[in-house]
């Protein structure tokens, strides 16, 4: 199996734990559900919580 090139960029760095998620994503309870790199799409969910 060929080794896959590591993806870079803010989105991928957050997903890999190299960067913290943006505060707005934390407040909204942002959750990655699915990534389709062939279609260039992502599916996310949100569970809003208290900002305090």
């Amino acid at each position: 199996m060929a080794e896959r090139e590591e993806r870079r960029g803010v989105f991928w760095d957050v997903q890999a734990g190299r960067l913290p998620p943006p505060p707005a994503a934390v407040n909204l309870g942002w959750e990655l559900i699915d990534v389709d790199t062939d279609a260039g799409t992502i599916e996310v969910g949100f569970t809003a919580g208290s900002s305090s």
Side-chain angles (χ1 to χ4, degrees), residues 11-49:
F11 173 81
W12 297 109
D13 289 346
V14 169
Q15 291 308 304
R18 293 184 292 263
L19 287 175
V26 174
N27 284 345
L28 291 172
W30 191 93
E31 174 189 5
L32 178 65
I33 296 171
D34 187 49
V35 175
D36 184 337
T37 54
D38 292 332
T41 61
I42 63 170
E43 182 180 350
V44 297
F46 298 93
T47 306

